[in-house]
Amino acid sequence: MSIEKIVAKQYRDKVNQAVKQFGDFSIHTQEGWLRTVRKALGMSGTQLAKRLGVTKARVSKAEKDEPSGSVTLKTMHSMAKAMDCKFVYAVVPNETVENIIMQRAKEKARVLVQAASTHMALEAQSLNSEQIEFEIDRIAAQIVNKIPSDFWNDE
């Protein structure tokens, strides 16, 4: 196995671990995590503001901005730290990396097979649906084995 494939596998393993740990985890609460955690701790906005060295209005604004995604990562981190919490940021796929890659490979393979199938039909040599699916799977496996540089290009 090449170094490139080993490194790719390490990345995939790391992301797949996140899928296992956080896959079903809610992204945020309706109020946002900052307000939810602060309330869970029984901490007022004024108390959090004092711990941060900012105004209560600043805390309120951050809590209002979070659910819409307008709060910065830096603000999330500092506010979490002020509540004796840690801020965790992750991009977690909906399924395993391998499944996402295979789905994309099948999309690419389907385009190739359909183009070839159209040409074959013009020459009265068309494939049946079972043969087409076999070819899609075969080509997808080849694509996954050696992912081309244009793999994620949308054409």
Side-chain angles (χ1 to χ4, degrees), residues 22-144:
F22 303 111
D24 294 331
F25 196 71
S26 173
I27 295 171
H28 58 77
T29 67
Q30 190 170 349
E31 288 185 306
W33 283 108
L34 295 172
R35 182 173 287 145
T36 300
V37 172
R38 179 179 58 74
K39 285 182 174 181
L41 293 171
M43 185 184 295
S44 71
T46 303
Q47 291 167 327
L48 179 56
K50 189 172 183 176
R51 292 178 76 133
L52 282 164
V54 299
T55 65
K56 182 180 183 285
R58 177 67 187 105
V59 169
S60 180
K61 180 172 176 9
E63 288 181 348
K64 286 178 186 165
D65 287 347
E66 182 198 350
S68 68
S70 302
V71 69
T72 66
L73 297 178
K74 184 177 179 182
T75 298
M76 292 291 291
H77 174 75
S78 64
M79 289 182 75
K81 189 173 179 183
M83 292 186 285
D84 292 326
C85 296
K86 62 182 171 185
F87 173 61
V88 179
Y89 176 85
V91 176
V92 181
N94 293 321
E95 50 188 299
T96 66
V97 173
E98 292 80 8
N99 285 348
I100 293 170
I101 290 171
M102 182 53 81
Q103 286 173 7
R104 180 63 177 188
K106 283 188 176 189
E107 288 171 18
K108 296 288 228 180
R110 188 171 307 282
V111 169
L112 293 171
V113 170
Q114 286 175 342
S117 183
T118 301
H119 291 294
M120 290 175 72
L122 294 173
E123 298 172 4
Q125 298 176 349
S126 61
L127 300 174
N128 65 38
S129 60
E130 187 177 300
Q131 291 170 316
I132 289 172
E133 287 305 312
F134 175 82
E135 284 303 307
I136 289 169
D137 289 343
R138 184 183 66 77
I139 292 170
Q142 289 176 345
I143 291 170
V144 167

